[in-house]
Amino acid sequence: MSSTRRGNHHHHHQSPMASTLRPYLTCIRNTLDAAMCLQNFPCQEVERHNKPEVELKSSPELLLNPVLICRNEAEKCLIETSINSLRISLKVKQADELENILTKKFLRFLSMRAEAFQVLRRKPVQGYDISFLITNYHCEEMQKHKLIDFIDIDKEISELKMSVNTRGRLVATEFLKQFI
Amino acid sequence: MTCIERASPALNQILLKLYSAEKPMEIDHHLYEFGSAEYHILSEASDPRVAFLSISTAPLCPGVLATNELSSYTIEMIKALCPAVVEIAESTREGYQLTLKLNLTKIPRGKDYIKVIKEISTVHSVILSSQLKEILWNFNSDDAIKGMHKPIKLVYNPREPFFVIRQPQQMIAVFPIRFAEKSDVIISTAFFQELVDVGSSDRYAKAPPCSWSAIPPPELRGEAFEDLSTNGGFVSFDISSHHVDGKRLDKTVWNLLNFNAYVRYHVKTTKGFIQRRMRKRLENLVEVLHHTESLEQVNEQITRHQGCSTKRLVRSSKYSILKQRWGNLGRKLKRIHFRLKIQGFGRFRQRWLRLPKFSSREYTKLD
């Protein structure tokens, strides 16, 4: 009896939102794992050029079927693959107006500095908040699983929102203290 | 946060400079400050013991106060600032409401002079506080009997008026909130929610209860449309007699006068805070990315040093291919055997015909 009870100390009550996050991220991870098999492929249309085929979309034989992974109506991930490049677009959840402006600010901040990240697209695909473009050269230079870990944006926004609210609470406390 | 400090920082600095000057100096300064305050400081070298400070400020409530002159209560409050040093001048400078004569020789020596000069610099806050106190005291008794309390519109900052409504048991201060940008509205709304939440806790039960609503409160119905059209909602404070007893009256009045400025300052600093957080997070993410790249280079070195029989390149980038081909050419050149042996040629060849080595530090990869 004691051994079975010892194993049952922690009962985590998971909210419905938290319970769908893990399968969603796992599905994205597995899809990316399969999709990141890229190879060098010179452009068929222009001599001595090497272009990411997923952006051009000029040769259908070089493109794979895009995969759309939806966590709910507000959160989804679109993975478009081609022979030498892969484009991932994310729509991030925005539960309230504060998350909305924080998401917009943060993602715009990152996109403006896309050259620091190499894999980030300066402008997100229409209908999404952020897009990444990964080519075969990135796969050669960087570790695949680290690239996948890089793409977890939800946590950033949640932490930012929490720190803004905590700060607001401290300021409110200081203001009300003056009356006492 | 200079807009909420009672003492005017510019006035404080000028008076300190005047007091601490080794030689008599001439000063003729005009100052314009937040809250429509205007100062004039005059000091002549011929009489360094005395300085004249003139002040003018817009009325807090234009509709209630009949003239622009300061009331006797306000003048009494100003006289009480530093009675030994401050006197009301007989003639007021033209264009100003009040001129004070400062006897600099009567300012105490030692460390106390800083405190005295700071107190003199609070003259504007004294005027505003006393005006607000008078307005709150002199409510219309007829209105009170009928149960109607007309809101009193107060203008500290011309673009940000607020209202005070007198009720039998309490007063309500209502602040219409307006911002130019939508993001400011959202940040301020989040702040007001925290303010209401903290104010309703037991620890701050003595602070005035606070509430926020997106629509004008019922007490303000009938006011001008431009005063009630906002994008940030309305914040209300219920001020009871407890909050205006004795020394608390000054604090309460000053906090209410500066609430709008406080909120704007908080929104501004929050935006700066968000920017700093994002920048720091960006640096961390870039560091992670570069760390994965440098891990790749370490892995490559380990595989080479292991001495595998089949050479396997971890990275097949253009740089490593070029390096490999150059190395092959160099080795071929070294294996060339000359038929004729010339004395000293070997040393000559080693020194002048050696192929340059490319080090990874100096080579810049072309993208």
Side-chain angles (χ1 to χ4, degrees), chain A residues 43-50:
Chain A
C43 181
Q44 293 184 134
E45 316 228 327
V46 183
E47 257 186 43
R48 301 172 70 176
H49 275 220
N50 198 321

Side-chain angles (χ1 to χ4, degrees), chain A residues 73-84:
Chain A
E73 287 159 9
E75 280 184 89
K76 53 185 178 179
C77 172
L78 176 66
I79 299 174
E80 301 162 279
T81 321
S82 69
I83 187 161
N84 64 355

Side-chain angles (χ1 to χ4, degrees), chain A:
Chain A
M1 189 163 77
S2 59
S3 61
T4 50
R5 276 195 184 171
R6 234 178 263 146
N8 293 336
H9 281 303
H10 305 287
H11 292 279
H12 296 287
H13 174 67
Q14 282 187 339
S15 64
M17 286 296 281
S19 63
T20 57
L21 177 64
R22 196 176 285 278
Y24 174 63
L25 291 178
T26 307
C27 185
I28 293 176
R29 185 185 292 273
N30 292 340
T31 311
L32 283 177
D33 227 358
M36 270 198 213
C37 296
L38 307 174
Q39 63 186 46
N40 187 27
F41 192 87
C43 181
Q44 293 184 134
E45 316 228 327
V46 183
E47 257 186 43
R48 301 172 70 176
H49 275 220
N50 198 321
K51 299 177 185 179
E53 294 296 334
V54 76
E55 293 285 348
L56 257 63
K57 294 191 191 311
S58 53
S59 305
E61 68 275 14
L62 302 175
L63 304 175
L64 277 74
N65 288 330
V67 175
L68 180 65
I69 303 163
C70 294
R71 186 182 173 189
N72 49 49
E73 287 159 9
E75 280 184 89
K76 53 185 178 179
C77 172
L78 176 66
I79 299 174
E80 301 162 279
T81 321
S82 69
I83 187 161
N84 64 355
S85 51
L86 162 72
R87 190 163 69 184
I88 310 148
S89 304
L90 294 168
K91 181 107 178 83
V92 180
K93 83 163 160 92
Q94 289 150 38
D96 53 27
E97 284 183 328
L98 185 60
E99 267 189 26
N100 192 352
I101 60 158
L102 289 176
T103 305
K104 280 197 176 120
K105 273 184 185 291
F106 185 57
L107 295 180
R108 188 163 181 269
F109 188 83
L110 292 183
S111 300
M112 296 287 274
R113 291 151 184 82
E115 69 278 359
F117 293 103
Q118 299 177 44
V119 295
L120 190 59
R121 202 171 183 258
R122 278 203 185 271
K123 206 173 164 191
V125 167
Q126 199 167 8
Y128 293 85
D129 294 318
I130 188 167
S131 295
F132 298 86
L133 176 68
I134 300 171
T135 64
N136 56 295
Y137 296 116
H138 296 137
C139 288
E140 287 162 10
E141 288 164 8
M142 300 176 189
Q143 294 183 22
K144 224 169 26 168
H145 66 274
K146 288 286 181 184
L147 276 172
I148 292 166
D149 286 337
F150 187 74
I151 291 170
D152 185 13
I153 296 287
D154 260 3
K155 192 178 131 198
E156 310 292 338
I157 305 296
S158 300
E159 280 176 6
L160 201 50
K161 180 184 172 186
M162 203 177 311
S163 55
V164 167
N165 281 337
T166 305
R167 195 170 182 280
R169 197 167 190 91
L170 285 169
V171 170
T173 307
E174 286 305 311
F175 179 74
L176 291 175
K177 262 187 199 170
Q178 295 172 70
F179 289 96
I180 297 173

Side-chain angles (χ1 to χ4, degrees), chain B residues 9 18 26 63 68 80 88 133 137 160 195 199 230 232 260 272-273 277 306 308 317 334 354:
Chain B
L18 183 63
E26 294 233 351
N68 205 20
I88 308 289
K133 285 175 206 172
W137 288 333
E160 295 163 2
L195 187 67
T230 66
N260 260 316
F273 169 74
R277 279 278 305 221
Q306 276 172 356
C308 299
S317 61
K334 279 181 190 171
R354 199 163 51 181

Side-chain angles (χ1 to χ4, degrees), chain B residues 64-122:
Chain B
V64 170
L65 296 172
T67 63
N68 205 20
E69 287 178 9
L70 299 175
S71 67
S72 54
Y73 173 72
T74 304
I75 291 175
E76 288 303 317
M77 294 301 292
I78 293 169
K79 279 184 189 172
L81 269 176
C82 294
V85 179
V86 177
E87 286 175 26
I88 308 289
E90 290 170 1
S91 60
T92 307
R93 187 180 176 89
E94 195 180 337
Y96 292 88
Q97 291 169 310
L98 183 71
T99 299
L100 303 175
K101 182 178 171 187
L102 308 176
N103 298 311
L104 299 175
T105 50
K106 294 194 179 168
I107 294 176
R109 297 283 162 187
K111 290 181 185 176
D112 286 339
Y113 78 94
I114 297 173
K115 196 178 160 189
V116 168
I117 289 174
K118 195 166 182 183
E119 210 174 320
I120 296 170
S121 307
T122 64

